[in-house]
Each structure stands twice: as C-alpha cells, then as structure tokens.
Amino acid sequence: GEDVEQSLFLSVREGDSSVINCTYTDSSSTYLYWYKQEPGAGLQLLTYIFSNMDMKQDQRLTVLLNKKDKHLSLRIADTQTGDSAIYFCAEAPYNQGGKLIFGQGTELSVKP
Amino acid sequence: GAVVSQHPSWVICKSGTSVKIECRSLDFQATTMFWYRQFPKQSLMLMATSNEGSKATYEQGVEKDKFLINHASLTLSTLTVTSAHPEDSSFYICSASDTEFPYEQYFGPGTRLTVT
C-alpha cells in the first residue's frame, strides 16, 4: 500500500542547517514533494523532485532522493525563525490522477 | 500566480445543519480539485477528488452522502457538510490542479469548521 513516514519533531538553533527526513513506499511515484504549513494556514509548495533525479537545489533548500531506499530528505541551510512550521512530504503515485499521499508532518522549531 | 481561495475561512454551525465551503482557483483553470481534512497536529487526509463536470471520486471510508462535492466550473468546487455533527469539526483544505505535467497542486488557506 501507499504510506509516507516522517519524524514528528525537529528542533534546531537559528543559523544551523535542518534536515527533515521522509520515507515512502510506492516505488511508482513519479514526483515527490515538500510542503510547508504555518499555523492555521494551508500548504505552501516548497519544492518537488522528479523520481529520476537524485538531488535538487533551490536557494536554501536541498532535496535528496534515494530511490533505492525510498528515502527523501529536505535540507534547509541557515535556518531562520521564520522557517518554524510543519513540513510535509508527499508522493504522487503514478497514474492516480494527481492524488497526493502525505506524511504526518515534521514540526520544525527554530530557536534563536 | 496559482492562487486558490476558500470561503469561509472559519465557520461555526449548530449540530444538524448543513455548511457549504467554496474553493476557487483565481488565476488558472482547475480541471481537478481535491478536498482534504486535517485534524489538529495530524496529516492531511484526502476525502475526494473532483473533476469539472463529473461526479467526485471519494476515498474509502468517506461518506459521499454526508460530504457533497460539486465541481460546477473550472474555477469553483464546493464541499457541503450535510447534517453536521461535532465529530465533523475539522480543518478542511482544498487544492486545485490544472493537471498539466507535473502534477502541481495549489492549496487553499483552509476552512475551520466547528460544529456545536
């Protein structure tokens, strides 16, 4: 079946790097996503990676994909207090009309 | 671009009444819209997928007679919670996609429903 797992909490100091990890089960997933959710708000797409890529970098964000291990990570460089939020990874199983399967979300707390 | 709005942002209703939540894509045509439910500190649970002009596809365990979804145009989908009960209280989030490759879903800000 389809399942996406994340650790629930991560706490870092301002200026450090944050690494949020995710594992998924559906090897047919063509795209994998990272979303950010601030309290009481909807989801903001941060970045996505195509399944034939190993890495994608976008400013402070680096996504690493290990397809063999079905492991996805999001690294945030120079983490700021404004990065405090819940981060969701999601997979889009192939040929399911764009349906997204979300992980439980990782709550990132950035301390000054 | 790619803005999705929801209305209302929060609503309180009495048990037994019905509530309608609107989801609009403001600057693109959304051939597919998705409705999610999120409980506090939990992930998003997909309730249903709706395509413009056709019946919604509900996920297993979601009561289609209770959660009525209408996708009447390429920019509007509505979710009606019928005969609401306190256990229907939740955060409802919609997303919209133009289904162009890749599948990018743009999320609305969510609607907080409280049933008293």
Side-chain angles (χ1 to χ4, degrees), chain A residues 3-112:
Chain A
D3 194 21
V4 180
E5 298 280 339
Q6 296 177 242
S7 52
L8 296 182
F9 300 101
L10 176 65
S11 180
V12 301
R13 291 234 173 253
E14 192 172 22
D16 289 348
S17 292
S18 309
V19 179
I20 303 171
N21 294 300
C22 171
T23 57
Y24 61 98
T25 56
D26 192 333
S27 57
S28 78
S29 291
T30 50
Y31 285 91
L32 296 130
Y33 303 82
W34 284 104
Y35 285 89
K36 176 182 180 183
Q37 184 180 35
E38 298 187 13
L43 272 66
Q44 172 194 354
L45 176 64
L46 288 178
T47 186
Y48 61 88
I49 188 168
F50 188 46
S51 58
N52 70 351
M53 297 170 66
D54 299 322
M55 186 182 86
K56 181 179 180 181
Q57 188 154 2
D58 184 1
Q59 299 182 334
R60 291 193 297 125
L61 305 179
T62 303
V63 179
L64 295 178
L65 175 60
N66 182 327
K67 198 173 179 183
K68 174 176 168 288
D69 294 338
K70 299 191 186 74
H71 182 266
L72 183 73
S73 68
L74 173 69
R75 178 177 181 270
I76 306 173
D78 187 26
T79 314
Q80 303 297 305
T81 53
D83 294 324
S84 294
I86 298 177
Y87 291 80
F88 291 94
C89 71
E91 62 173 345
Y94 175 73
N95 209 25
Q96 290 205 31
K99 173 181 174 179
L100 291 180
I101 309 297
F102 284 88
Q104 311 95 307
T106 299
E107 184 174 350
L108 174 64
S109 173
V110 183
K111 300 189 187 312

Side-chain angles (χ1 to χ4, degrees), chain B residues 51-91:
Chain B
N51 292 289
E52 184 262 340
S54 60
K55 288 186 179 179
T57 302
Y58 290 81
E59 294 297 300
Q60 195 171 5
V62 177
E63 299 176 61
K64 57 183 69 177
D65 293 332
K66 180 166 188 61
F67 298 100
L68 301 179
I69 291 171
N70 183 281
H71 192 162
S73 76
L74 285 172
T75 59
L76 174 65
S77 176
T78 60
L79 167 68
T80 301
V81 183
T82 62
S83 188
H85 287 100
E87 56 264 32
D88 298 326
S89 298
S90 191
F91 195 52

Side-chain angles (χ1 to χ4, degrees), chain B residues 1-102:
Chain B
V3 178
V4 176
S5 70
Q6 279 184 245
H7 178 79
S9 54
W10 61 271
V11 57
I12 301 172
C13 71
K14 291 187 184 297
S15 194
T17 61
S18 295
V19 173
K20 181 185 282 189
I21 301 170
E22 292 186 349
C23 176
R24 292 182 185 272
S25 58
L26 298 185
D27 51 4
F28 67 102
Q29 293 188 327
T31 51
T32 307
M33 286 184 168
F34 303 84
W35 286 96
Y36 296 85
R37 185 173 178 176
Q38 186 180 31
F39 291 102
K41 301 286 189 181
Q42 292 190 27
S43 186
L44 280 75
M45 180 193 81
L46 179 65
M47 299 174 66
T49 303
S50 73
N51 292 289
E52 184 262 340
S54 60
K55 288 186 179 179
T57 302
Y58 290 81
E59 294 297 300
Q60 195 171 5
V62 177
E63 299 176 61
K64 57 183 69 177
D65 293 332
K66 180 166 188 61
F67 298 100
L68 301 179
I69 291 171
N70 183 281
H71 192 162
S73 76
L74 285 172
T75 59
L76 174 65
S77 176
T78 60
L79 167 68
T80 301
V81 183
T82 62
S83 188
H85 287 100
E87 56 264 32
D88 298 326
S89 298
S90 191
F91 195 52
Y92 292 89
I93 303 176
C94 74
S95 69
S97 171
D98 60 6
T99 72
E100 289 294 324
F101 190 82

